[in-house]
Amino acid sequence: MRSNNKTTIAMMAASLFLAACGGSSSDSGGGAPDGGTPPPASSALNAGAGAPTGAEGSCDANTSGVNWNALMSEACPKLSDYNLFTNASDPTAAPTRGGVPYDLSTALFSDYASKYRFIFVPEGKTVSYNASEVLDFPVGTVITKTFALPENTAFRDGDEQVIETRLLIHRTSGWVALPYYWSSESDATLAIAGKRLNGLKTINNQGQEITFDYSVPNAADCSSCHSIVPNLAGSGDDRGQIFLPIGPKARYLNKDFTYADGTVYNQLQYLAEGELLTGLPFDLQSVEKAPVFNDQVPVASLSGDALNSAARAYLDINCAHCHRADLTLPADYAGPAGSSGVQLEYNRVYADSPSKFGVCKEPVAGGKVGYPYDVIPGSPDNSYLLFRMSTDDNRHKMPELARNTVHQEGVALVSSWINQLPSASCSPAP
């Protein structure tokens, strides 16, 4: 177990904010973790971050900043080989120079783990805005996400067990996923084949102790969620799947982040003013915005538009990476479950086709007796979609990966949403 130090994250973010505004910071950050020469003065958040040179990478390279060349070519045995954090034993704070923390308004549920996210973009490169899909990250980008299980989910600033750090690396050949398991408190070990941890425990917001097994995914598992697949047009269609990040979309980044000095700043605006994000509309009101939903949000207090928006965002971030098709995807591509008929994108208009959200649609994945339709408005307890969220039976549970316990708060949210949906032909008689 280790103590959580979110203050360090905020301090790093504050120093980056000062740089974006032309100010200065006494923190040498990742640019000089050995106490060497401070980074050059610049308004860009990734100034002094370095960049891949195209030379052969080495996991043993001694670099003062990020080990970019190794990231572009090597699956290093230890997370510390990439020098992404100034303290190699702590992946939750103080990234090496150029690393920028970010947060999502509604996040994928992963067995009640807290997540610490950072984006590393090579010096001189920028991220391009996308209105609906994931931001367009340049080659060389590294996205890190560390999972830590709190002792008590109601007190996430308390003690926690750091479990794994996942890397998404944008190489010239495309995105690559590398999972690292924290086998000790000093470093994380590459877990290409994954890792299963038995008997983990936490106390949830209701004061209940939960015991479950936790799965660090193997490298191949990552593509099952992160890829969109082509609708093949025949034997001559040799298009392959496209691997993409899931979380960092504008609608989930369009939220405030509170920095160490108390400054509250919109994340998208922060990235744009820090010369890291290009193409952001001048009017932030025109940018799609998903609501904030987490375990501390009382579901009973949500109603009407707020409930609908929260549930739609939850289904989008937890399900729509697979259950999606058409809309803003590349032509003739869909999520791995896009052909199932259930398509749960946040930017899909419910009123245009309720059946796309499972309303009165018979399950195509085998189903279960007693659950005739995916979604029955007014009857959540008989809706197969909610049952799949509520079970840990591998045959039925959804999502299939990333969770080994039931997200009670998420189930309560979607249950309330189904209960208040407009009556449909399969709804129970009044």
Side-chain angles (χ1 to χ4, degrees):
M1 304 298 287
R2 70 176 62 174
S3 295
N4 188 357
N5 191 355
K6 295 183 179 178
T7 302
T8 309
I9 296 177
M11 289 176 66
M12 180 65 186
S15 67
L16 292 170
F17 175 74
L18 287 170
C21 295
S24 62
S25 173
S26 59
D27 183 3
S28 62
D34 55 357
T37 304
S42 172
S43 59
L45 290 173
N46 56 350
T53 66
E56 182 177 355
S58 171
C59 298
D60 297 324
N62 183 15
T63 61
S64 62
V66 172
N67 189 356
W68 293 105
N69 289 337
L71 282 162
M72 293 303 104
S73 61
E74 305 299 319
C76 291
K78 299 293 185 182
L79 181 64
S80 61
D81 293 332
Y82 296 122
N83 201 26
L84 291 164
F85 299 92
T86 59
N87 179 353
S89 67
D90 187 1
T92 70
T96 302
R97 180 155 298 279
V100 181
Y102 73 97
D103 191 28
L104 303 180
S105 54
T106 298
L108 176 73
F109 172 72
S110 302
D111 291 335
Y112 287 103
S114 296
K115 300 174 186 178
Y116 302 88
R117 305 172 178 87
F118 297 91
I119 299 170
F120 297 79
V121 177
E123 185 173 11
K125 298 267 185 101
T126 57
V127 181
S128 297
Y129 171 78
N130 188 305
S132 297
E133 296 299 321
V134 71
L135 300 181
D136 186 9
F137 295 97
V139 170
T141 298
V142 180
I143 300 175
T144 75
K145 182 165 63 171
T146 294
F147 297 69
L149 185 67
E151 284 189 344
N152 190 320
T153 66
F155 303 100
R156 290 185 178 266
D157 288 330
D159 287 344
E160 59 186 5
Q161 178 182 355
V162 177
I163 299 172
E164 58 167 319
T165 298
R166 300 179 193 174
L167 304 185
L168 289 184
I169 307 169
H170 196 181
R171 295 176 174 171
T172 54
S173 58
W175 288 93
V176 174
L178 294 178
Y180 286 82
Y181 159 62
W182 282 84
S183 53
S184 72
E185 289 198 359
S186 61
D187 210 343
T189 302
L190 182 63
I192 289 292
K195 183 76 175 180
R196 190 165 184 86
L197 307 176
N198 299 320
L200 295 192
K201 295 181 180 181
T202 188
I203 298 173
N204 68 11
N205 282 27
Q206 291 74 43
Q208 303 165 328
E209 184 175 86
I210 301 172
T211 302
F212 59 94
D213 298 337
Y214 183 97
S215 298
V216 176
N218 63 54
D221 283 340
C222 297
S223 63
S224 65
C225 289
H226 279 273
S227 295
I228 55 175
V229 297
N231 300 315
L232 298 178
S235 58
D237 190 345
D238 59 357
R239 291 174 300 152
Q241 63 185 20
I242 300 174
F243 191 106
L244 294 170
I246 293 173
K249 296 182 174 72
R251 58 178 168 267
Y252 295 111
L253 294 170
N254 190 8
K255 65 181 288 289
D256 289 344
F257 188 97
T258 304
Y259 297 93
D261 62 355
T263 303
V264 179
Y265 220 69
N266 180 279
Q267 291 183 113
L268 293 173
Q269 188 175 359
Y270 174 74
L271 294 174
E273 293 186 2
E275 300 180 23
L276 200 59
L277 176 64
T278 63
L280 179 68
F282 179 78
D283 180 13
L284 271 179
Q285 297 299 317
S286 67
V287 178
E288 189 173 55
K289 185 174 185 177
V292 172
F293 180 78
N294 53 48
D295 296 341
Q296 281 69 48
V297 174
V299 172
S301 70
L302 301 175
S303 61
D305 290 344
L307 174 59
N308 180 64
S309 186
R312 292 283 309 283
Y314 184 89
L315 291 170
D316 178 60
I317 197 70
N318 282 277
C319 311
H321 46 273
C322 286
H323 287 275
R324 60 190 313 217
D326 308 319
L327 295 181
T328 53
L329 284 176
D332 293 323
Y333 272 84
S339 62
S340 68
V342 176
Q343 295 161 7
L344 299 168
E345 305 96 323
Y346 187 75
N347 51 322
R348 183 175 293 280
V349 179
Y350 176 89
D352 288 350
S353 184
S355 65
K356 295 286 188 183
F357 295 84
V359 172
C360 300
K361 189 192 80 62
E362 294 183 8
V364 298
K368 181 175 174 62
V369 175
Y371 301 91
Y373 302 105
D374 286 323
V375 172
I376 304 175
S379 185
D381 291 342
N382 294 311
S383 297
Y384 187 50
L385 182 150
L386 191 72
F387 169 74
R388 302 192 81 176
M389 290 178 58
S390 306
T391 183
D392 55 9
D393 182 339
N394 287 331
R395 180 175 178 272
H396 294 285
K397 74 173 183 178
M398 279 287 171
E400 294 175 324
L401 301 173
R403 78 166 181 88
N404 296 281
T405 188
V406 176
H407 188 200
Q408 297 182 27
E409 293 80 4
V411 169
L413 174 67
V414 175
S415 177
S416 295
W417 174 71
I418 294 174
N419 199 48
Q420 60 86 51
L421 285 174
S423 182
S425 60
C426 62
S427 295

